[in-house]
Amino acid sequence: MSRFVPMRFVDVHIEGRFWRERLETVLARTIPSQHVQLAEHGILESLTLPKPPPPLRFPRNEHNFTVQVFWDSDVGKWIEAASYALSHRRDPEIEAKIETIIDDLEKAQAPDGYLNCWYLQREPEKRWTNLRDNHELYNLGHLLEGAIAYFLATGRRRLLTMLERYVDHVRETFGPGAGQKRGYCGHQEIELALVRLYRLTGERKHLELASYFIDERGRQPHYFDQEAADRGDDPKKFWAKSYEYNQSHKPVREQDRVVGHAVRAMYMYSAMADLAAELSDDSLKRACELLWQDVMASKIYITSGLGPAAANEGFTEAYDLPNDTAYAETCASVALIFWAQRMLHLDLDGKYADVLEQALFNGALTGLSRDGEHYFYSNPLDSDGRHRRWAWHTCPCCTMNASRLVASVGGYFVSHSDDAIAFHLYGGIATSVTLKSGKVTLRETSDYPWSGDIRIELEPEQAAEFTLKLRIPGWSRAAKASVNGQAIAVEPSTTNGYLSISRKWQAGDVVELDLPMPPERVYAHPSVRMDVGRVALKRGPLVYCVEQVDNAEGPVQRLRLPRRSKVGIKRRSDLFDGIVVLAAEALRLDDREWSDTLYRREPPAEERVTLTALPYYLWSNREKGSMTVWLAEA
Ligand code: FUB
Ligand code: ZN
């Protein structure tokens, strides 16, 4: 059997109501409003290299750093998100805006191909002098991903051609040869973008450059030490203290603990998994597997948030998963989806798809508001009500990560090999897959994630033998399946989380899958000290939370859920176009007789109430109030 590859986002049509609503919101509101924000915040103007340069909007901090050095990346991510959107619906206004950006970049590009607007405008003599901090290759990576998406969506190649020239310049600049720099970027991203460029063009030199950056990372003598010394800085005075911050503390194949900045880590592991697949490199694959085990065993929130600490925007110690101060950057959960998808294609093991789905519906989706114009950067699991969504951020990285994810979500549903089709996600899609035996049109219909009733219609061009693989999610129990109404035994035919059905398929064949979705209680490992004695609620792939707006009269942290309380479901057509909430009898601590007493011998009185929980990704879309995922269990 050949390797599984994902369907391209352009080839998958989203039809189901859950993702259609998110997609329409992103198309109609998020992409246009992000362009307005990019203009209002000076990011688009920066591409025109205005002379004299306007004063910095974000003055350099005590480490001589400003977020403006990576404004090019925000533009690249917006082009990428907008292009995914265009693949669903062409839009002359958006296309004109992208063309204007490309005009500006074309004028800005240096004769040797270099294209970084920060350096070209403000410090032309300093290019490539601070890879550790200044994101030059990271910016190129995001522009490149944007250019590839724009080309795939529209067939227009101008930006891509410009960036290929820039990549050629980078290839001349970096490498082991005389006069070349043996460097790599402080913020990983270029590596996975180069693999994408290789996959698009088939040009091996791009794969080799990606591989060079990954292999060079963490080698001694350390490039960032040398570079700092060359700048006249003391390498020992690195502001982040340790190269664990950017995962260059040791060569990547020796890394087995997930450390440092979470987004950097996830982008790097994604590239490592890509290279492991393209180069059949088992040592890289093994490193990815060890890192995966480390993060899954003790460093991931139930929501798939990653990186508890604001200080390094990243990881700390095992089991350190505070709820109210969780950083859990939206970008990190989005990037976890990238990594999980690549791991899934190394092995087609449902454990990766489970995490992909978990991150998609919880850690990542929560980053984008219902109205499509507000965002979360950090994603705590507990709030007194002060944590609210914002319309823009001094560092807008998460905004376009949310939009590019939603607009490209079709690319995560289905993969295929020569003779098999694998469904990883459900929710209503239509696509056509070309197998060795010919073309197969597929339509998957469901109201997932609200319901686990799934129907797949198959239309092979001619009757053909192949295998249909259906993911049986790790959360599911007692799944049932049938082909043309004939029940099939799920468990014996399921390996690594995928039910395999091999037969000669005919046009009009129908597969039905029933994934029961009872509400579930979930507990954390006792070493997670913040969750001791607490319980969280899940249904299907969704993690639920309790928000004050549904549970009036006091902070939700005062609610306790008795172990014996039955958790039921309620379909609420009045909420957010129709969702499923959870309801249970609970106890609420009463503060009425406490007046100004802070401590006393008697515990607070309790009253019986009905608790309502809603999916975590939806919180903070209504009035202000407290929220918690983990409830005290009585
Ligand atoms: O440094 C670029 C982006 O800004 C990172 O990925 C985010 O964590 C934020 O720091
Ligand atoms: Zn971010």
Side-chain angles (χ1 to χ4, degrees):
M1 193 191 280
S2 66
R3 216 171 81 197
F4 277 90
V5 289
M7 297 293 298
R8 297 184 321 165
F9 67 93
V10 278
D11 297 328
V12 179
H13 186 63
I14 300 286
E15 298 183 334
R17 90 175 158 113
F18 184 90
W19 286 109
R20 197 70 230 168
E21 181 282 326
R22 288 290 70 196
L23 191 55
E24 287 298 334
T25 302
V26 165
L27 300 186
R29 305 195 58 168
T30 313
I31 301 293
S33 64
Q34 287 180 340
H35 188 270
V36 170
Q37 296 282 10
L38 289 169
E40 278 180 5
H41 289 84
I43 298 178
L44 294 181
E45 188 196 20
S46 76
L47 307 177
T48 64
L49 314 188
K51 294 260 181 308
L56 292 179
R57 296 224 182 184
F58 301 102
R60 291 176 186 271
N61 66 13
E62 71 272 28
H63 308 300
N64 201 29
F65 180 76
T66 165
V67 291
Q68 291 190 210
V69 299
F70 57 85
W71 274 2
D72 287 2
S73 74
D74 298 319
V75 174
K77 271 153 89 176
W78 182 78
I79 294 175
E80 188 184 351
S83 302
Y84 295 147
L86 293 175
S87 75
H88 296 282
R89 195 162 61 220
R90 295 294 291 264
D91 180 332
E93 269 185 49
I94 296 287
E95 290 173 45
K97 288 183 167 67
I98 297 177
E99 287 295 318
T100 303
I101 290 173
I102 300 173
D103 289 343
D104 291 339
L105 289 170
E106 197 169 38
K107 283 184 210 134
Q109 188 163 28
D112 62 3
Y114 181 83
L115 181 49
N116 178 295
C117 294
W118 166 269
Y119 276 104
L120 286 167
Q121 181 183 32
R122 295 180 188 266
E123 311 186 289
E125 71 296 345
K126 289 195 179 166
R127 60 160 100 158
W128 308 131
T129 57
N130 190 352
L131 293 176
R132 188 191 70 191
D133 299 337
N134 282 350
H135 293 62
E136 262 162 304
L137 292 167
Y138 166 89
N139 287 334
L140 168 56
H142 278 305
L143 284 170
L144 203 46
E145 288 200 275
I148 293 169
Y150 189 54
F151 170 65
L152 288 173
T154 64
R156 297 200 193 113
R157 214 186 184 289
R158 184 162 61 120
L159 181 58
L160 190 54
T161 305
M162 286 159 51
L163 294 174
E164 283 173 334
R165 277 186 62 219
Y166 187 10
V167 170
D168 285 342
H169 170 74
V170 167
R171 188 175 303 99
E172 282 159 21
T173 308
F174 293 92
Q180 286 185 302
K181 294 176 187 295
R182 296 197 66 145
Y184 42 86
C185 197
H187 195 314
Q188 303 88 325
E189 153 66 24
I190 182 67
E191 302 83 355
L192 69 87
L194 285 168
V195 176
R196 280 198 161 177
L197 185 60
Y198 161 71
R199 288 181 177 150
L200 181 79
T201 62
E203 291 187 272
R204 221 176 151 78
K205 61 184 182 180
H206 302 311
L207 193 63
E208 283 160 7
L209 187 57
S211 183
Y212 176 77
F213 286 137
I214 287 290
D215 290 350
E216 205 56 38
R217 200 170 197 88
R219 288 231 170 117
Q220 293 295 343
H222 202 285
Y223 183 76
F224 295 152
D225 281 348
Q226 294 175 329
E227 183 196 60
D230 291 347
R231 280 198 307 270
D233 290 346
D234 181 352
K236 295 204 182 65
K237 292 199 176 140
F238 177 31
W239 56 271
K241 308 262 190 305
S242 157
Y243 291 140
E244 285 194 351
Y245 173 74
N246 52 36
Q247 298 81 30
S248 68
H249 54 302
K250 43 170 125 159
V252 301
R253 288 173 183 75
E254 293 169 28
Q255 297 190 24
D256 55 8
R257 271 190 330 114
V258 170
V259 292
H261 185 273
V263 185
R264 285 168 163 86
M266 294 302 121
Y267 285 176
M268 180 173 94
Y269 306 154
S270 299
M272 287 164 62
D274 270 341
L275 290 167
E278 294 298 345
L279 302 171
S280 303
D281 185 329
D282 283 343
S283 59
L284 272 182
K285 182 173 184 238
R286 182 72 194 133
C288 285
E289 287 166 350
L290 292 175
L291 291 161
W292 184 271
Q293 277 163 24
D294 185 53
V295 72
M296 294 309 149
S298 60
K299 295 178 182 161
I300 185 164
Y301 284 97
I302 187 173
T303 52
S304 297
L306 294 177
N312 64 347
E313 299 192 294
F315 296 99
T316 55
E317 296 308 315
Y319 302 112
D320 180 34
L321 295 166
N323 292 311
D324 56 348
T325 57
Y327 196 70
E329 184 179 341
T330 300
C331 283
S333 290
V334 171
L336 171 62
I337 294 170
F338 301 159
W339 185 28
Q341 190 193 33
R342 286 155 172 87
M343 296 303 284
L344 179 62
H345 288 98
L346 282 173
D347 270 348
L348 204 79
D349 188 328
K351 72 180 181 188
Y352 299 120
D354 284 346
V355 170
L356 190 162
E357 180 180 71
Q358 187 81 1
L360 181 61
F361 281 109
N362 303 289
L365 204 51
T366 191
L368 182 65
S369 66
R370 188 72 184 166
D371 69 10
E373 298 186 20
H374 294 82
Y375 308 90
F376 273 143
Y377 188 116
S378 56
N379 291 284
L381 287 80
D382 185 280
S383 166
D384 62 5
R386 280 177 293 174
H387 190 78
R388 304 289 293 160
R389 296 174 185 278
W390 37 266
W392 199 245
H393 201 276
T394 47
C395 173
C397 52
C398 297
T399 60
M400 267 83 64
N401 252 338
S403 54
R404 72 178 175 141
L405 176 73
V406 171
S408 63
V409 73
Y412 295 93
F413 277 71
V414 178
S415 304
H416 70 95
S417 65
D418 281 352
D419 54 5
I421 298 169
F423 269 86
H424 313 300
L425 299 178
Y426 307 105
I429 57 119
T431 189
S432 288
V433 179
T434 303
L435 303 177
K436 203 169 50 189
S437 54
K439 189 166 154 190
V440 186
T441 300
L442 300 158
R443 166 159 284 122
E444 179 264 318
T445 324
S446 63
D447 196 22
Y448 199 89
W450 308 121
S451 153
D453 291 341
I454 294 150
R455 176 186 165 91
I456 299 171
E457 294 165 33
L458 296 96
E459 296 278 338
E461 263 177 351
Q462 70 262 334
E465 280 187 25
F466 59 87
T467 303
L468 182 68
K469 286 178 166 279
L470 302 180
R471 171 172 160 258
I472 306 296
W475 52 258
S476 118
R477 308 275 171 272
K480 292 197 193 90
S482 66
V483 178
N484 298 330
Q486 295 274 312
I488 48 175
V490 171
E491 219 179 304
S493 307
T494 301
T495 314
N496 289 340
Y498 284 83
L499 164 65
S500 294
I501 312 172
S502 300
R503 68 198 297 270
K504 188 162 195 172
W505 297 93
Q506 317 272 351
D509 280 346
V510 174
V511 176
E512 282 172 302
L513 182 63
D514 173 20
L515 303 173
M517 288 183 174
E520 291 187 313
R521 289 175 186 241
V522 180
Y523 301 88
H525 188 290
S527 295
V528 185
R529 59 189 188 285
M530 308 77 178
D531 298 339
V532 169
R534 295 183 176 270
V535 61
L537 299 176
K538 278 193 73 188
R539 179 174 182 265
L542 297 173
V543 173
Y544 277 69
C545 71
V546 184
E547 202 178 6
Q548 189 161 344
V549 56
D550 303 305
N551 297 276
E553 293 176 39
V556 293
Q557 287 77 4
R558 289 186 194 173
L559 292 166
R560 302 204 301 149
L561 182 61
R563 189 169 282 213
R564 278 171 217 279
S565 273
K566 185 171 161 10
V567 182
I569 67 168
K570 274 193 190 162
R571 295 190 188 275
R572 288 279 302 269
S573 53
D574 56 319
L575 265 185
F576 304 112
D577 300 339
I579 64 168
V580 174
V581 300
L582 304 183
E585 295 305 309
L587 300 168
R588 184 171 53 221
L589 303 185
D590 191 329
D591 67 356
R592 269 173 295 189
E593 281 163 20
W594 281 67
S595 63
D596 56 1
T597 311
L598 187 54
Y599 303 105
R600 70 178 202 193
R601 287 197 190 89
E602 304 78 28
E606 290 174 340
E607 68 174 318
R608 287 181 182 281
V609 292
T610 300
L611 159 164
T612 298
L614 95 160
Y616 174 72
Y617 81 87
L618 281 169
W619 90 275
S620 188
N621 278 297
R622 294 168 294 165
E623 63 205 60
K624 191 172 172 181
S626 56
M627 179 281 297
T628 194
V629 169
W630 291 100
L631 287 156
E633 197 172 56

